[in-house]
């Protein structure tokens, strides 16, 4: 099986080749600038000392400080971390924000730690990577199994080390500690901005369009919320416990309340209930938003997908083979790729960092509008580049994902060339 790193490098190579950039660009971008491996000793509640391993990978900073999350996971490897850091360079470049890419990880199962142990681990990790991070150097944020509380401990630890507050050193912090309330729903909001722009461009409008969403966690819930607020009809939702279908439209706020209180979407009191968490993937809806996990639309089930438009809320929900098959369907319009559609979180991180550098904070509505404006701009830049690539390569089946990666690589290349690196 192809590893995540091999896949990422393949995507990178493909984009560089598609636009005929020199091969040395691949040589440069296929390796990170810096890899730091650290040990983090933690005195556990039972008195024993445990030594955890962590990494911070800084991939490329041609466009600005390294930026990317920190993952706490028992199976994380250095290779995965390098792949994730490379992906962040591309994602940040495509987002049009002044950041390079980085990613951190600690090999640990945080579910097995007490709150005190988790705090010690978070602070220990910051002490270990402190020489190479900071608002102008490298700005971490949460990823899998890390959250605003962990960011609060981390920003506090770095502030103690430096001897003054460094709000801009981490993002997605709690609002009272230099964070922004929009962060809670920024990814879901961004997904819906992409869906709305795509529907207006290709389906004749967004209002009244039917939407099916797989996954009803942070991304899925807030995507459903903004989709229904902006006039679309959410007809199917699911989580790991099952699915709800209602062709008349689901009451999203009620579904959020019930799911968050009972941890099961199927406790929603109306509509039809199903055991199959994959149901929304195959619902007859105009727009499908996979917002759960990776590899859910595969060669085996892609023929059952009926939506004309897919907006990838989750990372990697569509396999490459399945994507090819989708585009061979006559009524299929596009898969708006994850790297574009789910970038709302990192764009919000950028806005939070700008606030922190100035100690000047926008109100919620103002922040939301700034975020939506950046997402709209990125959608149209990618859609336009896609049109251009298709006309330049009529012999190739160029996807919107290809266009997104090409745009990302072009921007990094331009910066590196101007700086005299390549
Ligand atoms: P989450 O843990 O809050 O929610 C995940 C949801 O998916 C839950 O409702 C869970 O029950 C459901 N789920 C899990 N497996 C499922 C399955 N097999 N079928 C149906 N539902 C299933 O996670 P999240 O933060 O909402 O992230 C969802 C996806 O979006 C992930 O791929 C994540 O990497 C990606 N993403 C998240 C963010 C963010 O800011 N949260 C940003 C970018 C990308």
């Amino acid at each position: 099986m192809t590893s995540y790193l091999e896949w990422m490098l393949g995507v990178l190579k493909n984009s560089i080749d598609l636009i005929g950039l020199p091969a040395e660009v691949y040589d440069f971008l296929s390796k990170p600038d810096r890899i730091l491996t650290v040990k983090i000793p933690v005195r556990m509640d039972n008195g024993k000392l445990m030594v955890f391993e962590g990494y911070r990978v800084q991939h490329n900073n041609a466009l600005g400080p390294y930026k990317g999350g920190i993952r706490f996971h028992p199976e994380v490897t250095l290779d995965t971390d390098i792949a994730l850091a490379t992906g962040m360079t591309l994602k940040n470049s495509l987002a049009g924000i002044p950041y390079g890419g980085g990613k951190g990880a600690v090999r640990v199962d945080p579910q097995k730690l007490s709150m005190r142990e988790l705090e010690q681990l978070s602070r220990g990790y910051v002490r270990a990577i402190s020489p190479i991070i900071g608002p102008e150097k490298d700005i971490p944020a949460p990823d899998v199994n890390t959250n605003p509380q962990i960011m609060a401990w981390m920003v506090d630890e770095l502030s103690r080390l430096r001897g003054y507050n460094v709000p801009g050193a981490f993002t997605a912090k709690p609002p009272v500690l230099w964070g922004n309330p929009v962060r809670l729903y920024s990814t879901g909001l961004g997904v819906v901005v992409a869906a709305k722009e795509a529907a207006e461009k290709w389906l004749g409008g967004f209002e009244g369009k039917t939407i099916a969403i797989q996954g009803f966690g942070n991304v899925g819930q807030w995507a459903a919320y903004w989709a229904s607020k902006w006039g679309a009809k959410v007809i199917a939702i699911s989580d790991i416990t099952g699915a709800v279908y209602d062709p008349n439209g689901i009451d999203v706020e009620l579904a959020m309340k019930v799911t968050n209180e009972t941890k099961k979407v199927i406790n929603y009191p109306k509509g039809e209930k199903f055991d199959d968490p994959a149901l929304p993937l195959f619902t007859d809806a105009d727009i499908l938003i996979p917002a759960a996990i990776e590899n859910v639309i595969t060669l085996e089930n892609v023929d059952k997908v009926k939506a004309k438009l897919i907006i990838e809320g989750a990372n990697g929900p569509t396999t490459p083979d399945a994507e090819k098959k989708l585009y061979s369907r006559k009524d299929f319009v596009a898969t708006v790729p994850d790297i574009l559609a789910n970038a709302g979180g990192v764009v919000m991180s950028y806005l939070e960092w700008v606030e922190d550098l100035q100690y000047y904070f926008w109100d919620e509505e103002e922040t939301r509008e700034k975020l939506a404006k950046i997402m709209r701009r990125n959608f149209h830049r990618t859609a336009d580049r896609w049109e251009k690539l298709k006309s330049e390569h009529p012999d190739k089946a160029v996807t919107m994902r290809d266009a997104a990666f090409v745009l990302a690589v072009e921007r990094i290349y331009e910066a590196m060339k101007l700086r005299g690196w390549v």
Side-chain angles (χ1 to χ4, degrees), residues 183 187 214-219 238-240 277 291-293 313-315 342:
R183 182 62 185 87
T187 304
Q214 186 201 29
F216 208 58
N218 178 276
V219 179
S238 73
D239 65 8
I240 195 76
I293 49 166
N315 280 318
N342 71 26

Side-chain angles (χ1 to χ4, degrees), residues 71 91 143-144 183-184 186-188 214-221 238-242 259 263 265 276-278 280 290-294 296 312-317 338 342-346:
R71 177 173 293 203
K91 190 170 194 168
D143 188 61
V144 174
R183 182 62 185 87
L184 173 67
S186 55
T187 304
Q214 186 201 29
F216 208 58
N218 178 276
V219 179
Q221 290 192 14
S238 73
D239 65 8
I240 195 76
T241 68
T259 308
K263 307 288 167 225
V265 79
D276 184 8
I293 49 166
E294 64 286 348
V296 291
E312 293 186 334
N315 280 318
D338 46 10
N342 71 26
V346 75

Side-chain angles (χ1 to χ4, degrees), residues 71-255:
R71 177 173 293 203
F72 284 179
H73 198 277
E75 276 141 40
V76 80
T77 65
L78 182 55
D79 262 16
T80 321
D81 206 30
I82 293 172
L84 291 165
T86 312
M88 286 311 299
T89 299
L90 296 169
K91 190 170 194 168
N92 294 338
S93 171
L94 178 67
I97 51 183
Y99 286 143
K103 198 87 181 189
V106 177
R107 193 159 340 125
V108 59
D109 182 355
Q111 262 75 46
K112 294 195 178 135
L113 301 185
S114 69
M115 278 296 265
R116 191 200 64 84
E117 290 165 347
L118 186 63
E119 178 177 348
Q120 291 311 310
L121 180 75
S122 306
R123 290 183 183 277
Y125 176 68
V126 168
R127 284 194 297 276
I129 67 166
S130 66
I132 65 162
I133 61 168
E136 277 83 27
K137 274 182 168 176
D138 182 350
I139 309 137
D143 188 61
V144 174
N145 289 331
T146 47
N147 56 33
Q149 172 63 74
I150 292 177
M151 294 306 111
W153 289 326
M154 289 186 170
V155 80
D156 178 69
E157 189 66 25
L158 195 70
S159 298
R160 287 174 189 226
L161 284 169
R162 299 282 196 265
Y164 50 89
N165 284 328
V166 275
F170 296 86
T171 58
K173 303 177 298 295
V176 70
L177 267 182
W178 319 297
N180 188 302
V182 175
R183 182 62 185 87
L184 173 67
Y185 55 80
S186 55
T187 304
L189 175 74
V191 167
V192 179
V193 171
K196 188 165 180 289
E197 295 306 300
E200 281 167 3
K201 187 174 173 66
W202 291 312
L203 303 183
F206 185 67
E207 250 180 72
K209 290 288 175 298
T210 51
I211 303 201
I213 302 177
Q214 186 201 29
F216 208 58
N218 178 276
V219 179
Q221 290 192 14
W222 289 106
Y225 177 89
W226 289 104
S228 68
K229 205 160 178 83
W230 291 348
K233 201 182 339 169
V234 178
I235 60 167
I237 52 177
S238 73
D239 65 8
I240 195 76
T241 68
V244 175
Y245 173 71
D246 188 342
N248 298 316
I250 289 165
D251 177 343
V252 173
E253 284 185 62
L254 179 61

